[in-house]
PDB file of all heavy atoms in Angstrom:
ATOM      1  N   VAL L   1      -6.006   5.418  13.145  1.00 96.00           N
ATOM      2  CA  VAL L   1      -4.651   5.892  13.417  1.00 96.00           C
ATOM      3  C   VAL L   1      -3.908   6.107  12.100  1.00 96.00           C
ATOM      4  O   VAL L   1      -4.224   5.478  11.092  1.00 96.00           O
ATOM      5  CB  VAL L   1      -3.893   4.867  14.310  1.00 96.00           C
ATOM      6  CG1 VAL L   1      -3.727   3.535  13.616  1.00 96.00           C
ATOM      7  CG2 VAL L   1      -2.575   5.404  14.828  1.00 96.00           C
ATOM      8  N   ARG L   2      -2.957   7.017  12.140  1.00 97.00           N
ATOM      9  CA  ARG L   2      -2.083   7.207  10.982  1.00 97.00           C
ATOM     10  C   ARG L   2      -0.647   7.240  11.482  1.00 97.00           C
ATOM     11  O   ARG L   2      -0.385   7.539  12.652  1.00 97.00           O
ATOM     12  CB  ARG L   2      -2.445   8.469  10.210  1.00 97.00           C
ATOM     13  CG  ARG L   2      -2.227   9.757  10.957  1.00 97.00           C
ATOM     14  CD  ARG L   2      -2.761  10.941  10.120  1.00 97.00           C
ATOM     15  NE  ARG L   2      -2.493  12.201  10.764  1.00 97.00           N
ATOM     16  CZ  ARG L   2      -3.335  12.837  11.577  1.00 97.00           C
ATOM     17  NH1 ARG L   2      -4.514  12.303  11.854  1.00 97.00           N
ATOM     18  NH2 ARG L   2      -3.011  13.987  12.112  1.00 97.00           N
ATOM     19  N   TYR L   3       0.268   6.937  10.595  1.00 98.00           N
ATOM     20  CA  TYR L   3       1.687   6.918  10.924  1.00 98.00           C
ATOM     21  C   TYR L   3       2.393   7.907  10.013  1.00 98.00           C
ATOM     22  O   TYR L   3       2.120   7.953   8.813  1.00 98.00           O
ATOM     23  CB  TYR L   3       2.254   5.505  10.763  1.00 98.00           C
ATOM     24  CG  TYR L   3       1.672   4.570  11.798  1.00 98.00           C
ATOM     25  CD1 TYR L   3       0.487   3.893  11.570  1.00 98.00           C
ATOM     26  CD2 TYR L   3       2.292   4.414  13.028  1.00 98.00           C
ATOM     27  CE1 TYR L   3      -0.073   3.064  12.534  1.00 98.00           C
ATOM     28  CE2 TYR L   3       1.742   3.586  13.998  1.00 98.00           C
ATOM     29  CZ  TYR L   3       0.562   2.918  13.741  1.00 98.00           C
ATOM     30  OH  TYR L   3       0.016   2.117  14.711  1.00 98.00           O
ATOM     31  N   ALA L   4       3.279   8.688  10.613  1.00 97.00           N
ATOM     32  CA  ALA L   4       3.945   9.757   9.876  1.00 97.00           C
ATOM     33  C   ALA L   4       5.455   9.691  10.098  1.00 97.00           C
ATOM     34  O   ALA L   4       5.929   9.185  11.117  1.00 97.00           O
ATOM     35  CB  ALA L   4       3.414  11.119  10.336  1.00 97.00           C
ATOM     36  N   VAL L   5       6.185  10.245   9.139  1.00 96.00           N
ATOM     37  CA  VAL L   5       7.636  10.380   9.216  1.00 96.00           C
ATOM     38  C   VAL L   5       7.953  11.833   8.916  1.00 96.00           C
ATOM     39  O   VAL L   5       7.514  12.363   7.895  1.00 96.00           O
ATOM     40  CB  VAL L   5       8.344   9.449   8.209  1.00 96.00           C
ATOM     41  CG1 VAL L   5       9.836   9.724   8.167  1.00 96.00           C
ATOM     42  CG2 VAL L   5       8.072   7.989   8.540  1.00 96.00           C
ATOM     43  N   ASP L   6       8.676  12.469   9.812  1.00 93.00           N
ATOM     44  CA  ASP L   6       9.054  13.884   9.644  1.00 93.00           C
ATOM     45  C   ASP L   6       7.834  14.759   9.344  1.00 93.00           C
ATOM     46  O   ASP L   6       7.883  15.647   8.493  1.00 93.00           O
ATOM     47  CB  ASP L   6      10.106  14.042   8.550  1.00 93.00           C
ATOM     48  CG  ASP L   6      11.413  13.351   8.902  1.00 93.00           C
ATOM     49  OD1 ASP L   6      11.757  13.299  10.103  1.00 93.00           O
ATOM     50  OD2 ASP L   6      12.095  12.860   7.978  1.00 93.00           O
ATOM     51  N   GLY L   7       6.728  14.462   9.990  1.00 93.00           N
ATOM     52  CA  GLY L   7       5.510  15.264   9.842  1.00 93.00           C
ATOM     53  C   GLY L   7       4.661  14.935   8.630  1.00 93.00           C
ATOM     54  O   GLY L   7       3.584  15.496   8.457  1.00 93.00           O
ATOM     55  N   ALA L   8       5.123  14.016   7.794  1.00 95.00           N
ATOM     56  CA  ALA L   8       4.364  13.646   6.591  1.00 95.00           C
ATOM     57  C   ALA L   8       3.628  12.331   6.823  1.00 95.00           C
ATOM     58  O   ALA L   8       4.245  11.326   7.196  1.00 95.00           O
ATOM     59  CB  ALA L   8       5.299  13.511   5.392  1.00 95.00           C
ATOM     60  N   ASN L   9       2.319  12.319   6.602  1.00 97.00           N
ATOM     61  CA  ASN L   9       1.534  11.096   6.748  1.00 97.00           C
ATOM     62  C   ASN L   9       1.974  10.058   5.723  1.00 97.00           C
ATOM     63  O   ASN L   9       2.185  10.386   4.550  1.00 97.00           O
ATOM     64  CB  ASN L   9       0.052  11.392   6.554  1.00 97.00           C
ATOM     65  CG  ASN L   9      -0.498  12.252   7.655  1.00 97.00           C
ATOM     66  OD1 ASN L   9      -0.041  12.206   8.792  1.00 97.00           O
ATOM     67  ND2 ASN L   9      -1.496  13.053   7.341  1.00 97.00           N
ATOM     68  N   VAL L  10       2.096   8.810   6.172  1.00 98.00           N
ATOM     69  CA  VAL L  10       2.545   7.727   5.294  1.00 98.00           C
ATOM     70  C   VAL L  10       1.439   6.700   5.100  1.00 98.00           C
ATOM     71  O   VAL L  10       1.011   6.457   3.979  1.00 98.00           O
ATOM     72  CB  VAL L  10       3.818   7.046   5.855  1.00 98.00           C
ATOM     73  CG1 VAL L  10       4.282   5.945   4.911  1.00 98.00           C
ATOM     74  CG2 VAL L  10       4.924   8.060   6.086  1.00 98.00           C
ATOM     75  N   VAL L  11       0.992   6.078   6.187  1.00 98.00           N
ATOM     76  CA  VAL L  11      -0.088   5.096   6.110  1.00 98.00           C
ATOM     77  C   VAL L  11      -1.085   5.348   7.227  1.00 98.00           C
ATOM     78  O   VAL L  11      -0.748   5.935   8.258  1.00 98.00           O
ATOM     79  CB  VAL L  11       0.412   3.632   6.192  1.00 98.00           C
ATOM     80  CG1 VAL L  11       1.367   3.297   5.069  1.00 98.00           C
ATOM     81  CG2 VAL L  11       1.024   3.315   7.528  1.00 98.00           C
ATOM     82  N   GLY L  12      -2.294   4.870   7.018  1.00 97.00           N
ATOM     83  CA  GLY L  12      -3.327   4.952   8.038  1.00 97.00           C
ATOM     84  C   GLY L  12      -4.066   3.632   8.105  1.00 97.00           C
ATOM     85  O   GLY L  12      -4.019   2.833   7.162  1.00 97.00           O
ATOM     86  N   ILE L  13      -4.734   3.423   9.218  1.00 97.00           N
ATOM     87  CA  ILE L  13      -5.517   2.206   9.407  1.00 97.00           C
ATOM     88  C   ILE L  13      -6.925   2.622   9.800  1.00 97.00           C
ATOM     89  O   ILE L  13      -7.115   3.477  10.674  1.00 97.00           O
ATOM     90  CB  ILE L  13      -4.886   1.308  10.490  1.00 97.00           C
ATOM     91  CG1 ILE L  13      -3.491   0.874  10.041  1.00 97.00           C
ATOM     92  CG2 ILE L  13      -5.783   0.101  10.788  1.00 97.00           C
ATOM     93  CD1 ILE L  13      -2.660   0.212  11.107  1.00 97.00           C
ATOM     94  N   GLY L  14      -7.882   2.009   9.142  1.00 95.00           N
ATOM     95  CA  GLY L  14      -9.274   2.289   9.434  1.00 95.00           C
ATOM     96  C   GLY L  14     -10.075   1.006   9.369  1.00 95.00           C
ATOM     97  O   GLY L  14      -9.566  -0.034   8.960  1.00 95.00           O
ATOM     98  N   THR L  15     -11.327   1.084   9.768  1.00 94.00           N
ATOM     99  CA  THR L  15     -12.164  -0.112   9.754  1.00 94.00           C
ATOM    100  C   THR L  15     -13.603   0.208   9.403  1.00 94.00           C
ATOM    101  O   THR L  15     -14.066   1.334   9.559  1.00 94.00           O
ATOM    102  CB  THR L  15     -12.070  -0.854  11.111  1.00 94.00           C
ATOM    103  OG1 THR L  15     -12.614  -2.154  10.963  1.00 94.00           O
ATOM    104  CG2 THR L  15     -12.760  -0.103  12.217  1.00 94.00           C
ATOM    105  N   PHE L  16     -14.251  -0.795   8.910  1.00 92.00           N
ATOM    106  CA  PHE L  16     -15.684  -0.812   8.669  1.00 92.00           C
ATOM    107  C   PHE L  16     -16.241  -1.889   9.593  1.00 92.00           C
ATOM    108  O   PHE L  16     -15.501  -2.462  10.385  1.00 92.00           O
ATOM    109  CB  PHE L  16     -15.975  -1.150   7.196  1.00 92.00           C
ATOM    110  CG  PHE L  16     -15.482  -0.111   6.228  1.00 92.00           C
ATOM    111  CD1 PHE L  16     -14.163  -0.108   5.795  1.00 92.00           C
ATOM    112  CD2 PHE L  16     -16.339   0.867   5.737  1.00 92.00           C
ATOM    113  CE1 PHE L  16     -13.703   0.842   4.897  1.00 92.00           C
ATOM    114  CE2 PHE L  16     -15.891   1.826   4.835  1.00 92.00           C
ATOM    115  CZ  PHE L  16     -14.575   1.818   4.417  1.00 92.00           C
ATOM    116  N   THR L  17     -17.493  -2.219   9.489  1.00 89.00           N
ATOM    117  CA  THR L  17     -18.049  -3.233  10.383  1.00 89.00           C
ATOM    118  C   THR L  17     -17.614  -4.650  10.015  1.00 89.00           C
ATOM    119  O   THR L  17     -17.551  -5.517  10.873  1.00 89.00           O
ATOM    120  CB  THR L  17     -19.589  -3.179  10.396  1.00 89.00           C
ATOM    121  OG1 THR L  17     -20.055  -3.286   9.062  1.00 89.00           O
ATOM    122  CG2 THR L  17     -20.079  -1.891  11.031  1.00 89.00           C
ATOM    123  N   ASP L  18     -17.280  -4.881   8.732  1.00 91.00           N
ATOM    124  CA  ASP L  18     -16.941  -6.245   8.326  1.00 91.00           C
ATOM    125  C   ASP L  18     -15.568  -6.417   7.693  1.00 91.00           C
ATOM    126  O   ASP L  18     -15.196  -7.510   7.291  1.00 91.00           O
ATOM    127  CB  ASP L  18     -18.010  -6.788   7.381  1.00 91.00           C
ATOM    128  CG  ASP L  18     -18.109  -5.983   6.093  1.00 91.00           C
ATOM    129  OD1 ASP L  18     -17.488  -4.911   5.987  1.00 91.00           O
ATOM    130  OD2 ASP L  18     -18.827  -6.447   5.182  1.00 91.00           O
ATOM    131  N   HIS L  19     -14.800  -5.364   7.570  1.00 94.00           N
ATOM    132  CA  HIS L  19     -13.428  -5.449   7.068  1.00 94.00           C
ATOM    133  C   HIS L  19     -12.656  -4.207   7.494  1.00 94.00           C
ATOM    134  O   HIS L  19     -13.237  -3.243   7.975  1.00 94.00           O
ATOM    135  CB  HIS L  19     -13.404  -5.612   5.540  1.00 94.00           C
ATOM    136  CG  HIS L  19     -13.858  -4.390   4.796  1.00 94.00           C
ATOM    137  ND1 HIS L  19     -15.191  -4.103   4.601  1.00 94.00           N
ATOM    138  CD2 HIS L  19     -13.166  -3.384   4.209  1.00 94.00           C
ATOM    139  CE1 HIS L  19     -15.298  -2.975   3.911  1.00 94.00           C
ATOM    140  NE2 HIS L  19     -14.078  -2.521   3.663  1.00 94.00           N
ATOM    141  N   SER L  20     -11.350  -4.279   7.330  1.00 96.00           N
ATOM    142  CA  SER L  20     -10.497  -3.152   7.686  1.00 96.00           C
ATOM    143  C   SER L  20      -9.728  -2.696   6.455  1.00 96.00           C
ATOM    144  O   SER L  20      -9.768  -3.339   5.410  1.00 96.00           O
ATOM    145  CB  SER L  20      -9.537  -3.554   8.805  1.00 96.00           C
ATOM    146  OG  SER L  20     -10.277  -3.907   9.947  1.00 96.00           O
ATOM    147  N   THR L  21      -9.021  -1.600   6.627  1.00 97.00           N
ATOM    148  CA  THR L  21      -8.309  -0.998   5.512  1.00 97.00           C
ATOM    149  C   THR L  21      -6.981  -0.429   5.988  1.00 97.00           C
ATOM    150  O   THR L  21      -6.896   0.152   7.067  1.00 97.00           O
ATOM    151  CB  THR L  21      -9.153   0.148   4.904  1.00 97.00           C
ATOM    152  OG1 THR L  21     -10.403  -0.367   4.496  1.00 97.00           O
ATOM    153  CG2 THR L  21      -8.475   0.795   3.743  1.00 97.00           C
ATOM    154  N   ILE L  22      -5.971  -0.596   5.161  1.00 98.00           N
ATOM    155  CA  ILE L  22      -4.736   0.161   5.362  1.00 98.00           C
ATOM    156  C   ILE L  22      -4.652   1.087   4.152  1.00 98.00           C
ATOM    157  O   ILE L  22      -4.842   0.654   3.008  1.00 98.00           O
ATOM    158  CB  ILE L  22      -3.499  -0.749   5.502  1.00 98.00           C
ATOM    159  CG1 ILE L  22      -2.268   0.072   5.839  1.00 98.00           C
ATOM    160  CG2 ILE L  22      -3.272  -1.610   4.286  1.00 98.00           C
ATOM    161  CD1 ILE L  22      -1.096  -0.747   6.356  1.00 98.00           C
ATOM    162  N   PHE L  23      -4.504   2.369   4.435  1.00 97.00           N
ATOM    163  CA  PHE L  23      -4.484   3.312   3.323  1.00 97.00           C
ATOM    164  C   PHE L  23      -3.152   4.040   3.273  1.00 97.00           C
ATOM    165  O   PHE L  23      -2.495   4.247   4.282  1.00 97.00           O
ATOM    166  CB  PHE L  23      -5.674   4.275   3.343  1.00 97.00           C
ATOM    167  CG  PHE L  23      -5.948   4.958   4.657  1.00 97.00           C
ATOM    168  CD1 PHE L  23      -5.476   6.233   4.904  1.00 97.00           C
ATOM    169  CD2 PHE L  23      -6.689   4.325   5.650  1.00 97.00           C
ATOM    170  CE1 PHE L  23      -5.746   6.870   6.111  1.00 97.00           C
ATOM    171  CE2 PHE L  23      -6.968   4.952   6.851  1.00 97.00           C
ATOM    172  CZ  PHE L  23      -6.484   6.224   7.090  1.00 97.00           C
ATOM    173  N   PHE L  24      -2.767   4.376   2.075  1.00 97.00           N
ATOM    174  CA  PHE L  24      -1.468   4.965   1.782  1.00 97.00           C
ATOM    175  C   PHE L  24      -1.681   6.385   1.270  1.00 97.00           C
ATOM    176  O   PHE L  24      -2.331   6.575   0.244  1.00 97.00           O
ATOM    177  CB  PHE L  24      -0.734   4.134   0.731  1.00 97.00           C
ATOM    178  CG  PHE L  24      -0.512   2.706   1.146  1.00 97.00           C
ATOM    179  CD1 PHE L  24      -1.485   1.743   0.930  1.00 97.00           C
ATOM    180  CD2 PHE L  24       0.667   2.341   1.762  1.00 97.00           C
ATOM    181  CE1 PHE L  24      -1.290   0.432   1.321  1.00 97.00           C
ATOM    182  CE2 PHE L  24       0.885   1.032   2.164  1.00 97.00           C
ATOM    183  CZ  PHE L  24      -0.100   0.070   1.945  1.00 97.00           C
ATOM    184  N   TYR L  25      -1.122   7.348   1.971  1.00 96.00           N
ATOM    185  CA  TYR L  25      -1.330   8.749   1.611  1.00 96.00           C
ATOM    186  C   TYR L  25      -0.715   9.089   0.254  1.00 96.00           C
ATOM    187  O   TYR L  25      -1.221   9.948  -0.458  1.00 96.00           O
ATOM    188  CB  TYR L  25      -0.783   9.671   2.704  1.00 96.00           C
ATOM    189  CG  TYR L  25      -1.655   9.659   3.937  1.00 96.00           C
ATOM    190  CD1 TYR L  25      -1.452   8.740   4.954  1.00 96.00           C
ATOM    191  CD2 TYR L  25      -2.713  10.554   4.065  1.00 96.00           C
ATOM    192  CE1 TYR L  25      -2.268   8.716   6.073  1.00 96.00           C
ATOM    193  CE2 TYR L  25      -3.538  10.539   5.179  1.00 96.00           C
ATOM    194  CZ  TYR L  25      -3.308   9.618   6.179  1.00 96.00           C
ATOM    195  OH  TYR L  25      -4.126   9.594   7.280  1.00 96.00           O
ATOM    196  N   ARG L  26       0.387   8.423  -0.085  1.00 96.00           N
ATOM    197  CA  ARG L  26       1.024   8.645  -1.384  1.00 96.00           C
ATOM    198  C   ARG L  26       0.950   7.358  -2.210  1.00 96.00           C
ATOM    199  O   ARG L  26       1.888   6.985  -2.903  1.00 96.00           O
ATOM    200  CB  ARG L  26       2.470   9.104  -1.172  1.00 96.00           C
ATOM    201  CG  ARG L  26       2.547  10.486  -0.526  1.00 96.00           C
ATOM    202  CD  ARG L  26       3.946  10.888  -0.140  1.00 96.00           C
ATOM    203  NE  ARG L  26       4.812  11.029  -1.298  1.00 96.00           N
ATOM    204  CZ  ARG L  26       6.107  11.370  -1.208  1.00 96.00           C
ATOM    205  NH1 ARG L  26       6.654  11.628  -0.036  1.00 96.00           N
ATOM    206  NH2 ARG L  26       6.839  11.466  -2.295  1.00 96.00           N
ATOM    207  N   GLY L  27      -0.184   6.710  -2.138  1.00 95.00           N
ATOM    208  CA  GLY L  27      -0.363   5.419  -2.789  1.00 95.00           C
ATOM    209  C   GLY L  27      -0.195   5.432  -4.289  1.00 95.00           C
ATOM    210  O   GLY L  27       0.221   4.437  -4.883  1.00 95.00           O
ATOM    211  N   ARG L  28      -0.505   6.533  -4.911  1.00 95.00           N
ATOM    212  CA  ARG L  28      -0.346   6.652  -6.366  1.00 95.00           C
ATOM    213  C   ARG L  28       1.107   6.436  -6.775  1.00 95.00           C
ATOM    214  O   ARG L  28       1.399   5.966  -7.873  1.00 95.00           O
ATOM    215  CB  ARG L  28      -0.836   8.024  -6.834  1.00 95.00           C
ATOM    216  CG  ARG L  28      -0.760   8.262  -8.327  1.00 95.00           C
ATOM    217  CD  ARG L  28      -1.273   9.647  -8.701  1.00 95.00           C
ATOM    218  NE  ARG L  28      -0.676  10.726  -7.950  1.00 95.00           N
ATOM    219  CZ  ARG L  28       0.488  11.324  -8.226  1.00 95.00           C
ATOM    220  NH1 ARG L  28       1.190  10.922  -9.254  1.00 95.00           N
ATOM    221  NH2 ARG L  28       0.944  12.300  -7.485  1.00 95.00           N
ATOM    222  N   GLU L  29       2.036   6.742  -5.867  1.00 95.00           N
ATOM    223  CA  GLU L  29       3.461   6.625  -6.168  1.00 95.00           C
ATOM    224  C   GLU L  29       4.015   5.224  -5.941  1.00 95.00           C
ATOM    225  O   GLU L  29       5.161   4.945  -6.294  1.00 95.00           O
ATOM    226  CB  GLU L  29       4.253   7.614  -5.306  1.00 95.00           C
ATOM    227  CG  GLU L  29       3.887   9.059  -5.563  1.00 95.00           C
ATOM    228  CD  GLU L  29       4.588  10.009  -4.608  1.00 95.00           C
ATOM    229  OE1 GLU L  29       5.812   9.864  -4.410  1.00 95.00           O
ATOM    230  OE2 GLU L  29       3.904  10.890  -4.047  1.00 95.00           O
ATOM    231  N   LEU L  30       3.226   4.340  -5.361  1.00 96.00           N
ATOM    232  CA  LEU L  30       3.706   2.996  -5.066  1.00 96.00           C
ATOM    233  C   LEU L  30       3.700   2.122  -6.309  1.00 96.00           C
ATOM    234  O   LEU L  30       2.821   2.231  -7.161  1.00 96.00           O
ATOM    235  CB  LEU L  30       2.847   2.351  -3.983  1.00 96.00           C
ATOM    236  CG  LEU L  30       2.848   3.041  -2.626  1.00 96.00           C
ATOM    237  CD1 LEU L  30       1.855   2.367  -1.694  1.00 96.00           C
ATOM    238  CD2 LEU L  30       4.238   3.036  -2.015  1.00 96.00           C
ATOM    239  N   ASP L  31       4.680   1.233  -6.392  1.00 94.00           N
ATOM    240  CA  ASP L  31       4.749   0.257  -7.474  1.00 94.00           C
ATOM    241  C   ASP L  31       3.962  -0.965  -7.030  1.00 94.00           C
ATOM    242  O   ASP L  31       4.446  -1.779  -6.254  1.00 94.00           O
ATOM    243  CB  ASP L  31       6.212  -0.106  -7.747  1.00 94.00           C
ATOM    244  CG  ASP L  31       6.365  -1.126  -8.835  1.00 94.00           C
ATOM    245  OD1 ASP L  31       5.418  -1.315  -9.631  1.00 94.00           O
ATOM    246  OD2 ASP L  31       7.428  -1.762  -8.900  1.00 94.00           O
ATOM    247  N   ASP L  32       2.741  -1.071  -7.513  1.00 93.00           N
ATOM    248  CA  ASP L  32       1.828  -2.125  -7.076  1.00 93.00           C
ATOM    249  C   ASP L  32       1.754  -3.244  -8.106  1.00 93.00           C
ATOM    250  O   ASP L  32       0.741  -3.446  -8.764  1.00 93.00           O
ATOM    251  CB  ASP L  32       0.438  -1.545  -6.813  1.00 93.00           C
ATOM    252  CG  ASP L  32      -0.555  -2.584  -6.348  1.00 93.00           C
ATOM    253  OD1 ASP L  32      -0.125  -3.598  -5.752  1.00 93.00           O
ATOM    254  OD2 ASP L  32      -1.752  -2.392  -6.588  1.00 93.00           O
ATOM    255  N   GLU L  33       2.817  -4.000  -8.220  1.00 92.00           N
ATOM    256  CA  GLU L  33       2.835  -5.109  -9.177  1.00 92.00           C
ATOM    257  C   GLU L  33       1.862  -6.223  -8.784  1.00 92.00           C
ATOM    258  O   GLU L  33       1.497  -7.048  -9.599  1.00 92.00           O
ATOM    259  CB  GLU L  33       4.251  -5.660  -9.319  1.00 92.00           C
ATOM    260  CG  GLU L  33       4.830  -6.183  -8.020  1.00 92.00           C
ATOM    261  CD  GLU L  33       6.326  -6.411  -8.063  1.00 92.00           C
ATOM    262  OE1 GLU L  33       7.044  -5.579  -8.639  1.00 92.00           O
ATOM    263  OE2 GLU L  33       6.760  -7.424  -7.501  1.00 92.00           O
ATOM    264  N   SER L  34       1.426  -6.234  -7.538  1.00 92.00           N
ATOM    265  CA  SER L  34       0.506  -7.264  -7.049  1.00 92.00           C
ATOM    266  C   SER L  34      -0.957  -6.956  -7.360  1.00 92.00           C
ATOM    267  O   SER L  34      -1.804  -7.843  -7.278  1.00 92.00           O
ATOM    268  CB  SER L  34       0.663  -7.416  -5.542  1.00 92.00           C
ATOM    269  OG  SER L  34       0.331  -6.185  -4.902  1.00 92.00           O
ATOM    270  N   GLY L  35      -1.273  -5.701  -7.669  1.00 95.00           N
ATOM    271  CA  GLY L  35      -2.639  -5.305  -7.953  1.00 95.00           C
ATOM    272  C   GLY L  35      -3.529  -5.206  -6.725  1.00 95.00           C
ATOM    273  O   GLY L  35      -4.745  -5.247  -6.830  1.00 95.00           O
ATOM    274  N   LEU L  36      -2.930  -5.052  -5.551  1.00 96.00           N
ATOM    275  CA  LEU L  36      -3.696  -4.973  -4.307  1.00 96.00           C
ATOM    276  C   LEU L  36      -4.309  -3.604  -4.041  1.00 96.00           C
ATOM    277  O   LEU L  36      -5.317  -3.505  -3.353  1.00 96.00           O
ATOM    278  CB  LEU L  36      -2.803  -5.335  -3.107  1.00 96.00           C
ATOM    279  CG  LEU L  36      -2.401  -6.785  -2.965  1.00 96.00           C
ATOM    280  CD1 LEU L  36      -1.414  -6.942  -1.814  1.00 96.00           C
ATOM    281  CD2 LEU L  36      -3.619  -7.647  -2.732  1.00 96.00           C
TER     282      LEU L  36
END
């Protein structure tokens, strides 16, 4: 699934067999001080 605002994708959720992922369509623009 993905979540959008005003037609623009923001985040998505996906999975593998042993872990899951939340992905950010504009992740490069995020301030990731946590290093996650």
Side-chain angles (χ1 to χ4, degrees):
V1 63
R2 65 186 184 267
Y3 293 88
V5 173
D6 296 327
N9 293 330
V10 181
V11 300
I13 298 169
T15 194
F16 295 84
T17 55
D18 62 351
H19 69 278
S20 298
T21 302
I22 185 165
F23 49 97
F24 301 86
Y25 287 89
R26 293 172 64 181
R28 182 180 52 84
E29 298 175 47
L30 298 175
D31 179 19
D32 180 27
E33 60 194 41
S34 62
L36 289 174

